[in-house]
Amino acid sequence: MGRLTEAAAAGSGAGAARWAGSPPTLLLISPTSPGCTATMASSDEDGTNGGASEAGEDREAPCKRRRLGLLATAWLTFYNIAMTAGWLVLAIAMVRFYMEKGTHRGLYKSVQKTLKFFQTFALLEIVHCLIGIVPTSVLVTGVQVSSRIFMVWLITHSIKPIQNEESVVLFLVAWTVTEITRYSFYTFSLLDHLPYFIKWASSSNNDKWCVPAACLKCRYNFFIILYPVGVAGELLTIYAALPYVKKTGMFSIRLPNKYNVSFDYYYFLLITMASYIPLFPQLYFHMLRQRRKVLHGEVIVEKDD
């Protein structure tokens, strides 16, 4: 289905460790505080409706994050650096291919190994939630990651005739720009060492925050275009796959068989496409609400159920 929330800011040091995966819990901490005071709570990618937490819980959460230690911070920093680099390599390969060939045909084949590796590597984000170093719902993260895995392995990898569809380029571009922005954002926040040009770009807005406003604006503006583009690319790609799936009967189980079970992959894809109808507006407008809060100077923290 694709991660339907394409489209989170952090504290400093070990306090950022708990949220550096996907989706993170937003936590903006003023450097003038001891690191155990947060303003509000929120998550921009889980699509849940969270809400305000109890005042006591709000005060305790950052302190708990700080107690995780340097090991979790070091691992999450490495993970986000690796993912940023991987998606950057993918972006460069895509641009280079198009400049050399002048066409999108063959693009997917040329970048598929890199795409498969780094998108599958994202399964670690579910592990991060399971072991508690990222305070996000395991179910929500699992759905988001597995939906991307579904598009990569069970659609574009398995159905080779659709690999040259223009729609594949749509979701590849949307995913790539989104992930470079997202993972680099987490990396800068975890390292608490932002490049000068980012600090300069954000200095006129709010000097006291560790995470620059420029990064926040990228995070909360890019999705307005990238989210619909990515969803459109995924839907059109699945639609292009339908005739092939119906003709070949791939991944389908027909009766009679010894298990007395029937499964039709063609109708499964139709149901998957239909699921976008209720989910897309709900998640998109949720992110628009988060964007309004962030860009109007509010720091959000939403607790997962």
Side-chain angles (χ1 to χ4, degrees):
M1 184 188 301
R3 189 175 292 187
L4 291 181
T5 58
E6 296 292 328
S12 60
R18 286 292 301 270
W19 58 264
S22 167
T25 295
L26 278 179
L27 181 63
L28 294 186
I29 302 177
S30 170
T32 59
S33 72
C36 293
T37 303
T39 42
M40 284 169 54
S42 160
S43 168
D44 71 325
E45 294 190 35
D46 57 7
T48 57
N49 290 325
S53 57
E54 295 294 332
E57 294 176 352
D58 283 349
R59 289 192 295 270
E60 292 174 3
C63 298
K64 291 178 181 178
R65 292 180 175 88
R66 291 176 64 87
R67 289 196 291 268
L68 274 175
L70 294 177
L71 184 60
T73 303
W75 163 249
L76 290 172
T77 301
F78 166 77
Y79 172 81
N80 284 288
I81 289 174
M83 295 299 278
T84 302
W87 286 96
L88 274 171
V89 168
L90 184 65
I92 293 170
M94 290 169 62
V95 172
R96 186 174 179 179
F97 178 90
Y98 192 81
M99 290 180 66
E100 291 177 354
K101 305 294 184 180
T103 177
H104 70 281
R105 300 186 67 83
L107 173 63
Y108 179 84
K109 186 177 181 179
S110 72
V111 302
Q112 62 176 335
K113 289 183 179 179
T114 305
L115 173 67
K116 290 171 184 175
F117 178 82
F118 285 98
Q119 188 56 70
T120 306
F121 196 53
L123 286 169
L124 285 175
E125 294 176 15
I126 302 175
V127 179
H128 295 163
C129 297
L130 284 170
I131 64 179
I133 63 174
V134 175
T136 305
S137 165
V138 176
L139 178 61
V140 170
T141 303
V143 169
Q144 292 173 342
V145 174
S146 60
S147 61
R148 284 274 194 96
I149 300 294
F150 169 77
M151 284 299 303
V152 169
W153 288 102
L154 298 181
I155 300 294
T156 46
H157 167 76
S158 301
I159 309 173
K160 290 180 172 53
I162 67 167
Q163 291 180 358
N164 288 324
E165 294 286 334
E166 290 86 349
S167 56
V168 173
V169 180
L170 284 181
F171 76 72
L172 278 181
V173 170
W175 288 7
T176 302
V177 176
T178 296
E179 299 300 57
I180 291 172
T181 305
R182 188 166 66 91
Y183 287 117
S184 61
F185 178 84
Y186 301 157
T187 301
F188 288 146
S189 301
L190 280 164
L191 292 174
D192 193 24
H193 184 72
L194 300 167
Y196 174 78
F197 77 92
I198 295 182
K199 292 181 180 179
W200 175 83
S202 63
S203 61
S204 61
N205 281 318
N206 198 341
D207 289 324
K208 71 178 183 176
W209 298 115
C210 300
V211 178
C215 285
L216 282 176
K217 289 180 179 179
C218 286
R219 292 279 292 141
Y220 286 92
N221 282 325
F222 281 6
F223 86 89
I224 295 176
I225 296 176
L226 294 177
Y227 185 22
V229 168
V231 168
E234 294 164 21
L235 283 172
L236 290 171
T237 300
I238 296 174
Y239 180 78
L242 290 176
Y244 179 86
V245 171
K246 188 172 185 178
K247 180 180 179 180
T248 62
M250 65 179 297
F251 301 148
S252 298
I253 302 174
R254 308 296 185 188
L255 290 173
N257 58 68
K258 63 179 181 179
Y259 301 107
N260 199 32
V261 172
S262 177
F263 174 75
D264 195 311
Y265 190 54
Y266 176 81
Y267 288 106
F268 173 79
L269 292 182
L270 289 177
I271 293 172
T272 299
M273 293 177 68
S275 69
Y276 280 73
I277 297 174
L279 290 177
F280 175 79
Q282 179 183 350
L283 298 179
Y284 190 69
F285 287 116
H286 169 76
M287 290 191 294
L288 284 175
R289 289 193 296 270
Q290 303 297 62
R291 175 182 179 273
R292 284 197 297 269
K293 291 178 182 179
V294 170
L295 297 187
H296 282 80
E298 297 181 14
V299 184
I300 0 182
V301 181
E302 249 176 43
K303 295 188 70 177
D304 292 314
D305 294 334

